[in-house]
Amino acid sequence: MRAAHDDADVIVVGAGPAGSATAHYLAQTGMDVLLLEKATFPRDKICGDGLTPRAVAELIRMGVPTEESDGWIRNWGLRTYGAGHRIEIPWPELAEMPSYGLARSRMNLDETLARHAVASGARLLEGVAVTGPVRHERSGRILGVTTRSVDATGRRTGEERSYRARIVVDAGGVSARLATTMGLEKNDNRPMGVAIRTYFRSPRHDDPMMESHLELWDGEPGRSNLMPGYGWIFALGDGTVNVGLGSLSSTAKPTKLDYKGLFATWMRNAPAEWEFTPENQVGELRSAALPMAFNRKPHYSQGMLLVGDSGGMVSPFNGEGIAYAMQSGRIAADVVSQALARTTPYAMEKALRTYPAILADELGGYFTMGQVFARLIERPEIMRACVKYGLPRPVLMRFVMKLLSDGFDRRDGDWMDRLIAALSRAVPAS
């Protein structure tokens, strides 16, 4: 039974993909869910805007319509360039996910998911910034959050007020301010990525393939230094493309790379027919950090669960975070609904403590392999050899695509799926 002074059964902080998925699934069980978002929709987030088949599978589970008439564009595989080679590999036919990806700007995606959560029964408050936790005086357990209103300029206004619930979910993104205030610090020994992107008007806006460039040079290609990371071009179907690059470090230490300079060099070397020119650029070049491989733990503590970026749920293999944001929200909602059905505080706490173990079983081994991958490819000589000798081999590249995109069946499939699944099970979660 909900306490009389509680404002909801569950408070979810942040209405990105992780928070909206959590709120959607909880609301479907009949929970009273309060979803707090500091911005006002529509609002932007730094992202490649590409959705892999694993992310699409999560959208399907949520029942989110993805018709092209609503602004979604499908892609059928990955085109990769490197060391003078080009290869196109279609998304595999799998049991666990569809054989296509999607692209949708985060300006539209996040609002779509938040409104979907509202349609499921969640209560969304926009322009509400969470300023801290409300905690039990003796145990320190979280009892709710304090908030301030945010005006159109992003400035906090008005008096502070509080909202209370038995369980709080932090879906506040990479900053994870609520989790930090609760004493959950990030692990600087986990991989950290940096993504930088902008938009261009381009004739490539309806390209049916995602595209990645595995060689980023800080000067003339082949005659300068090869940088750790890759570039991407994702068509959005609306006259524009998302163009960006991602850099990876095996730890959270600053890389000291000139990302804007690296991006400018890549654009100077881009073919003229792509029309990636300053005149066609839409919006500024912006960057964001990508917290990877469970870099903030534990994922449950003192009445609060971490989902998505707040818990470091970005893949070190490719920088994908949306799929794991929605997946962790789905898992968190299932755990929370089970916990709130218990009749004693001890039983509720026992149920909540299963959340980190479930995440570790689902993603821990795969993310551990990703940490090894990050340590390898940040060495330019290894990256150069992998691209030079691996890209011309289609069978090897299909295997690599499945591994890097998390595009494999975990319970059945071909020999590639079985091998990757076995490795992810054999490697311990860290």
Side-chain angles (χ1 to χ4, degrees), residues 320-391:
E320 161 72 79
I322 296 175
Y324 306 111
M326 292 187 289
Q327 180 180 359
S328 62
R330 170 167 54 85
I331 295 170
D334 183 60
V335 169
V336 168
S337 60
Q338 290 291 335
L340 291 181
R342 302 302 189 259
T343 57
T344 66
Y346 171 78
M348 184 178 80
E349 183 69 13
K350 188 174 182 180
L352 289 170
R353 289 180 179 178
T354 65
Y355 177 62
I358 296 171
L359 283 179
D361 288 343
E362 291 281 330
L363 299 171
Y366 181 72
F367 280 176
T368 299
M369 290 195 297
Q371 293 183 68
V372 177
F373 172 80
R375 288 194 292 270
L376 289 174
I377 69 162
E378 72 177 349
R379 298 172 59 183
E381 67 275 13
I382 294 179
M383 181 67 176
R384 186 178 295 114
C386 290
V387 172
K388 181 178 179 180
Y389 298 109
L391 216 58

Side-chain angles (χ1 to χ4, degrees), residues 115-337:
R115 303 299 179 208
H116 189 73
V118 171
S120 299
R123 292 185 287 139
L124 171 64
L125 296 183
E126 301 176 55
V128 176
V130 171
T131 57
V134 176
R135 307 181 71 171
H136 190 277
E137 291 183 4
R138 293 190 298 275
S139 69
R141 185 182 183 86
I142 193 167
L143 303 174
V145 295
T146 56
T147 68
R148 294 274 301 280
S149 296
V150 178
D151 64 19
T153 67
R155 186 172 61 90
R156 296 178 180 178
T157 62
E159 295 184 357
E160 189 172 79
R161 69 157 295 176
S162 64
Y163 296 95
R164 297 170 69 99
R166 282 195 287 173
I167 296 174
V168 175
V169 176
D170 184 359
V174 59
S175 61
R177 292 187 178 90
L178 185 62
T180 302
T181 306
M182 290 287 292
L184 304 180
E185 299 291 340
K186 70 176 186 295
N187 183 348
D188 287 335
N189 289 323
R190 297 298 169 93
M192 179 67 75
V194 174
I196 181 169
R197 70 95 172 100
T198 188
Y199 297 92
F200 289 97
R201 290 182 293 270
S202 170
R204 301 196 57 190
H205 74 96
D206 57 356
D207 191 335
M209 303 287 283
M210 286 186 174
E211 186 167 291
S212 66
H213 294 249
L214 299 183
E215 290 183 319
L216 295 176
W217 304 89
D218 62 0
E220 185 70 20
R223 299 180 181 178
S224 55
N225 296 316
L226 186 64
M227 298 288 100
Y230 72 98
W232 68 75
I233 301 171
F234 296 159
L236 295 177
D238 61 354
T240 67
V241 294
N242 180 310
V243 183
L245 61 86
S247 180
L248 177 64
S249 173
S250 61
T251 68
K253 296 178 182 177
T255 61
K256 299 181 180 180
L257 291 176
D258 178 9
Y259 296 105
K260 291 187 176 181
L262 189 59
F263 186 87
T265 299
W266 183 31
M267 291 299 95
R268 283 196 302 270
N269 293 320
E273 61 268 23
W274 294 359
E275 300 183 10
F276 293 167
T277 63
E279 296 77 21
N280 286 326
Q281 185 172 335
V282 181
E284 62 180 319
L285 187 66
R286 299 178 63 194
S287 62
L290 303 175
M292 298 176 168
F294 291 159
N295 78 331
R296 193 183 304 274
K297 296 171 75 175
H299 291 125
Y300 169 73
S301 177
Q302 296 180 298
M304 185 177 69
L305 296 85
L306 309 184
V307 296
D309 286 2
S310 68
M313 298 174 199
V314 175
S315 169
F317 284 112
N318 64 356
E320 161 72 79
I322 296 175
Y324 306 111
M326 292 187 289
Q327 180 180 359
S328 62
R330 170 167 54 85
I331 295 170
D334 183 60
V335 169
V336 168
S337 60

